């Protein structure tokens, strides 16, 4: 083994997504079987005991690629020299809590974590925010880390993308590998816009294979509400599928892909989306950088939904603006 290890921070290390995630990363599924890793696991003080149990299990796997574990409740320690930061941990919405309260509570967390990344992480650190509200949490972390390149911040819509691919493949009776050029636009929220306008299935336009009523009344709401449906069925929110989406997002970010995938990244005004928002676009990846798929024709149906997402993200941005000074 000749490669030197990379350091990967994972917040919410004792949470349920982390429990599906850290073992796969340690096994080499994210960065490949040649890449040793050191895991930096961050938790709340109240969950440190549970985190100890996770670390015991990691030890018990005796993974050949796992060259060390840092376990801490201090973001400044967790992010020291890290090459990748997976910001998974966040406060869940409690009973009677308004969305604005959730935004504010998590804003403080992601401000602190952005500042700690700025001060202590490797300056090329690639950051994926998963904890909700993911887009705005990524926006806050990015604004709290002025020395880091905004291109190194992203929020996760890959699970939504995978859900959309699976729904379309099932409806048209094809293998998921036959579905290409699908997109999730906007916010990782209940109004996200899964778009099959440009999707191709075995060389045929997907929109010629399904009815418009299916797209409107079935496909879009199913993708938007899939998370709630999983909670209803399982009694817990998506964890294994979220962990797989994290691994896919990071692997593609590092290794590159010509396939369209979806990722929430900073808007530079493409498709008329307000600059600076962390907004999900269809992207490809080369040399460690996302590129937004260009020159797509946007019809009125899509435009309306893309604008609704923009407005929601502007509202979230405005709700936390005072915390960013
Ligand atoms: P859990 O509640 O099981 O775990 C979260 C963990 O984070 C807990 O152990 C908690 O102690 C810890 N935590 C909270 N605040 C922290 C902080 N400031 N620093 C360090 N650790 C902290 O939630 P889980 O199911 O793992 O979900 C984690 C987050 O992912 C949630 O915000 C959830 O809403 C979000 N999701 C986002 C998805 C996406 O596609 N972007 C999909 C899956 C998931 O719902």
């Amino acid at each position: 083994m000749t490669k030197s290890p990379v350091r990967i921070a994972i917040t919410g290390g004792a949470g349920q997504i982390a429990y599906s995630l850290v073992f796969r990363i340690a096994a080499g599924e994210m960065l490949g079987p040649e890449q040793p890793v050191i895991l930096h696991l961050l938790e709340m003080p109240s969950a440190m005991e549970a985190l100890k149990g996770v670390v015991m299990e990691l030890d018990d796997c005796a993974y050949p690629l796992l060259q060390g574990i840092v376990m801490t409740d201090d973001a400044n320690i967790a992010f020291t020299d890290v090459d990748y930061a997976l910001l998974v941990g966040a406060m869940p919405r409690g009973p009677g809590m308004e969305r604005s309260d959730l935004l504010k509570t998590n804003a403080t967390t992601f401000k602190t974590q952005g500042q700690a990344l700025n001060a202590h992480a490797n300056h090329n650190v690639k950051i994926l925010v998963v904890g909700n509200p993911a887009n705005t949490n990524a926006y806050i972390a990015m604004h709290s880390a002025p020395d880091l390149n905004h291109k190194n911040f992203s929020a996760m819509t890959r699970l939504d993308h995978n859900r959309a691919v699976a729904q379309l493949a099932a409806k048209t009776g094809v293998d998921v590998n036959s579905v290409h050029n699908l997109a999730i636009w906007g916010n990782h929220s209940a109004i996200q816009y899964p778009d099959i306008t440009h999707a191709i299935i075995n060389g045929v336009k997907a929109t010629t294979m399904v009815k418009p009523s299916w797209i409107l009344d079935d496909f879009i709401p199913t993708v938007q509400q899939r998370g709630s449906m999983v909670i209803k069925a399982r009694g817990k929110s998506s964890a294994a599928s979220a962990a797989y989406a994290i691994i896919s997002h990071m692997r593609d970010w590092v290794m590159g892909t010509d396939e369209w995938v979806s990722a929430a990244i900073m808007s530079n005004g493409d498709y008329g989306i307000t600059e600076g928002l962390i907004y999900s676009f269809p992207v490809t990846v080369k040399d460690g950088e996302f590129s937004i798929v260009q020159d797509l024709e946007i019809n009125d149906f899509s435009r309306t939904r893309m604008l609704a997402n923009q407005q929601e993200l502007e509202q979230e941005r405005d709700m936390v603006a005072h915390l960013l000074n």
Side-chain angles (χ1 to χ4, degrees), residues 295-313:
D295 300 326
L296 297 175
E297 212 170 292
I298 305 295
N299 61 26
D300 289 346
F301 181 89
S302 295
R303 176 63 60 195
T304 306
R305 281 155 184 81
M306 288 164 66
L307 282 176
N309 276 273
Q310 169 178 296
Q311 276 166 9
E312 187 175 63
L313 283 167

Side-chain angles (χ1 to χ4, degrees), residues 11-18 42-44 47 88-92 109 113 129-132 134 156 159-160 188 237-238 242:
T11 73
Q16 56 150 2
I17 292 177
L42 178 68
E43 253 302 343
M44 302 292 281
V88 180
M91 273 307 158
T109 296
Q113 294 188 356
V129 177
V130 177
N132 280 318
M156 191 166 88
L159 176 54
D160 308 300
H188 172 69
S237 55
S238 312

Side-chain angles (χ1 to χ4, degrees), residues 164-207:
V165 168
Q167 290 298 319
L168 184 57
K171 177 67 182 174
T172 53
V174 301
D175 191 80
V176 286
N177 299 306
S178 305
V179 176
H180 303 283
N181 298 6
L182 192 145
I184 303 290
W185 300 92
N187 200 2
H188 172 69
S189 78
I191 66 159
Q192 63 178 263
Y193 173 44
D195 178 12
I196 65 163
T197 316
H198 313 282
I200 302 285
I201 297 175
N202 294 327
V204 178
K205 271 185 82 76
T207 47

Side-chain angles (χ1 to χ4, degrees), residues 10-19 42-48 50 72-73 75 87-93 102 106 109-110 113 128-135 137 155-160 163 188 227 231 234 236-239 241-243 245-246:
I10 299 152
T11 73
Q16 56 150 2
I17 292 177
Y19 196 70
L42 178 68
E43 253 302 343
M44 302 292 281
S46 57
M48 288 307 286
T72 178
D73 59 7
L87 308 187
V88 180
M91 273 307 158
R93 192 162 164 178
L102 181 74
N106 281 315
T109 296
F110 283 83
Q113 294 188 356
L128 170 62
V129 177
V130 177
N132 280 318
N135 298 51
N137 287 341
M156 191 166 88
T157 51
R158 183 61 175 266
L159 176 54
D160 308 300
R163 286 166 171 166
H188 172 69
I231 293 176
R234 212 172 80 87
K236 290 181 187 167
S237 55
S238 312
S241 54
I246 293 169

Side-chain angles (χ1 to χ4, degrees), residues 47-58:
M48 288 307 286
E49 198 54 35
L51 184 60
K52 272 188 203 163
V54 175
V55 170
M56 281 188 234
E57 285 203 72
L58 280 165

Side-chain angles (χ1 to χ4, degrees), residues 81-291:
D81 296 335
V82 296
D83 306 288
Y84 304 96
L86 312 178
L87 308 187
V88 180
M91 273 307 158
R93 192 162 164 178
M97 205 173 175
E98 298 293 329
R99 188 171 167 85
S100 56
D101 297 330
L102 181 74
L103 267 164
K104 283 178 202 152
T105 309
N106 281 315
T108 314
T109 296
F110 283 83
K111 182 177 180 175
T112 309
Q113 294 188 356
Q115 289 167 338
L117 282 162
N118 197 58
H120 303 292
N122 175 336
H123 268 213
N124 297 317
V125 61
K126 283 182 161 47
I127 299 151
L128 170 62
V129 177
V130 177
N132 280 318
N135 298 51
T136 299
N137 287 341
Y139 175 89
I140 293 162
M142 182 177 80
H143 278 271
S144 308
D147 302 332
L148 302 182
N149 190 332
H150 64 76
K151 289 185 175 167
N152 291 352
F153 287 84
S154 63
M156 191 166 88
T157 51
R158 183 61 175 266
L159 176 54
D160 308 300
H161 183 100
N162 292 347
R163 286 166 171 166
V165 168
Q167 290 298 319
L168 184 57
K171 177 67 182 174
T172 53
V174 301
D175 191 80
V176 286
N177 299 306
S178 305
V179 176
H180 303 283
N181 298 6
L182 192 145
I184 303 290
W185 300 92
N187 200 2
H188 172 69
S189 78
I191 66 159
Q192 63 178 263
Y193 173 44
D195 178 12
I196 65 163
T197 316
H198 313 282
I200 302 285
I201 297 175
N202 294 327
V204 178
K205 271 185 82 76
T207 47
T208 64
M209 299 171 71
V210 293
K211 291 194 178 123
S213 60
W214 178 78
I215 299 173
L216 187 62
D217 301 330
D218 199 333
F219 171 73
I220 293 176
T222 297
V223 176
Q224 289 173 333
Q225 291 157 26
R226 189 70 167 177
S228 312
M229 287 158 73
V230 169
I231 293 176
K232 211 168 154 197
R234 212 172 80 87
K236 290 181 187 167
S237 55
S238 312
S241 54
Y244 181 67
I246 293 169
I247 286 170
S248 307
H249 176 110
M250 294 307 296
R251 193 186 50 219
D252 286 345
W253 198 358
V254 176
M255 320 266 182
T257 179
D258 294 330
E259 185 71 35
W260 294 22
V261 289
S262 298
I265 56 175
M266 197 188 89
S267 169
N268 53 16
D270 285 6
Y271 294 103
I273 300 304
T274 307
E275 259 179 71
L277 295 178
I278 300 283
Y279 191 99
S280 181
F281 294 96
V283 296
T284 55
V285 190
K286 198 175 171 202
D287 300 330
E289 277 195 24
F290 291 113
S291 301

